[in-house]
C-alpha cells in the first residue's frame, strides 16, 4: 500500500509540475469536452438530446459514451467547483489510476517489487502518457485507460486467487472503462482477458 501511495504522489507531483493538473484544461479536444459537460448540466436530466450539440444530434449516439462527461459533471455539481476544475480533478484521478494500476498489474504478475517500480517509472517517464492531457486533450480515453489499468490489475489478482472480490473489481473497472471510451475500453477488456488466461 505504501508503494501505491508513493506512485500516486509522484504522479500527481509530475502532473502539477508539468501543468497537466493545474490551470485551464489543455489539449485540442479540451474545449469540446468542457462544452459537452456544460450542456449536460444545463439540460439535465435530458442526457441524450440538446439542440445546441452537434446541430441537434443526440449527445452520445455515435460519439463518446457518457462516463467521462457525467463524472466531470458530478464532481462539478457535488463539490460546487467549476467544470474546468472538475476536469483537472478527473484528469488527476485518471493519471493515478493508470500508474497505480500498472504498478499493481506488474507486481501481481511478476511478484517483484523492483519490476513493478521499473515498469511504473518507465510509464511515468513516457511523454505519450502526459500528451493525452497536455497536447491532445483526450480526456475520455485517459479515464478509460485508467479504469482499464485497474481492471487489468484486478484480472491479475483474479488469475492468481479466483476470488469473487477480484472478479467484482475487474468487472466494475472494465465497465467503467467502457463507459468512458468504447475503443480503449474494448482493448482494455481484451487485455484483461489475456491476463487471466
Amino acid at each position: 500500500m505504501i508503494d501505491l501511495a508513493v506512485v500516486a504522489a509522484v504522479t500527481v507531483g509530475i502532473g502539477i509540475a508539468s501543468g497537466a493538473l493545474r490551470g485551464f484544461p489543455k489539449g485540442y479536444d479540451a474545449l469540446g469536452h468542457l462544452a459537452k459537460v456544460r450542456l449536460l448540466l444545463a439540460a439535465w436530466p435530458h442526457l441524450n438530446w440538446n439542440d445546441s450539440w452537434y446541430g441537434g444530434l443526440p449527445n452520445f449516439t455515435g460519439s463518446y459514451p457518457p462516463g467521462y462527461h457525467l463524472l466531470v459533471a458530478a464532481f462539478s455539481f457535488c463539490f460546487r467547483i467549476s467544470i474546468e476544475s472538475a476536469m483537472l480533478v478527473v484528469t488527476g484521478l485518471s493519471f493515478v489510476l493508470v500508474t497505480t494500476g500498472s504498478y499493481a498489474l506488474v507486481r501481481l504478475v511478476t511478484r517483484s517489487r523492483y519490476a513493478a517500480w521499473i515498469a511504473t517509472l518507465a510509464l511515468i517517464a513516457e511523454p505519450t502518457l502526459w500528451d493525452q492531457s497536455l497536447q491532445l486533450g483526450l480526456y475520455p480515453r485517459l479515464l478509460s485507460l485508467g479504469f482499464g489499468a485497474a481492471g487489468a490489475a484486478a484480472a491479475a489478482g483474479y488469475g492468481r486467487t479466483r476470488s469473487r472480490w477480484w472478479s467484482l473489481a475487474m468487472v466494475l473497472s472494465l465497465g467503467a472503462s467502457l463507459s468512458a471510451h468504447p475503443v480503449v475500453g474494448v482493448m482494455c477488456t481484451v487485455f484483461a482477458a489475456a491476463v487471466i488466461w
Side-chain angles (χ1 to χ4, degrees):
M1 284 304 271
I2 293 173
D3 284 2
L4 291 177
V6 173
V7 168
V10 168
T11 302
V12 170
I14 291 173
I16 291 170
S18 69
L21 301 180
R22 63 183 165 85
F24 192 84
K26 296 155 187 70
Y28 304 129
D29 287 352
L31 290 177
H33 294 303
L34 190 146
K36 192 163 193 172
V37 173
R38 187 170 304 282
L39 290 170
L40 286 177
L41 287 171
W44 184 265
H46 306 290
L47 300 183
N48 285 326
W49 186 267
N50 187 300
D51 58 7
S52 300
W53 187 253
Y54 283 144
L57 297 176
N59 275 333
F60 296 109
T61 301
S63 182
Y64 295 98
Y68 170 78
H69 301 95
L70 289 177
L71 185 60
V72 171
F75 271 100
S76 177
F77 179 79
C78 293
F79 297 106
R80 302 286 183 218
I81 58 177
S82 68
I83 295 170
E84 295 86 348
S85 297
M87 286 177 70
L88 294 176
V89 169
V90 173
T91 302
L93 173 67
S94 302
F95 281 127
V96 167
L97 283 171
V98 169
T99 57
T100 58
S102 298
Y103 178 91
L105 170 66
V106 176
R107 181 79 186 261
L108 286 165
V109 169
T110 66
R111 301 182 186 198
S112 168
R113 183 178 186 203
Y114 298 110
W117 269 111
I118 290 168
T120 304
L121 291 174
L123 174 64
I124 290 172
E126 180 57 47
T128 303
L129 174 67
W130 303 101
D131 275 355
Q132 303 304 304
S133 166
L134 288 169
Q135 185 174 4
L136 303 173
L138 303 177
Y139 296 106
R141 292 180 195 191
L142 185 60
L143 181 63
S144 181
L145 184 61
F147 282 123
Y158 178 76
R160 285 180 58 187
T161 65
R162 300 294 177 183
S163 160
R164 245 183 269 171
W165 296 109
W166 282 121
S167 176
L168 178 63
M170 177 182 65
V171 169
L172 291 176
S173 296
L174 294 175
S177 179
L178 287 163
S179 80
H181 195 277
V183 175
V184 175
V186 167
M187 290 189 308
C188 290
T189 302
V190 170
F191 180 75
V195 167
I196 292 173
W197 289 305

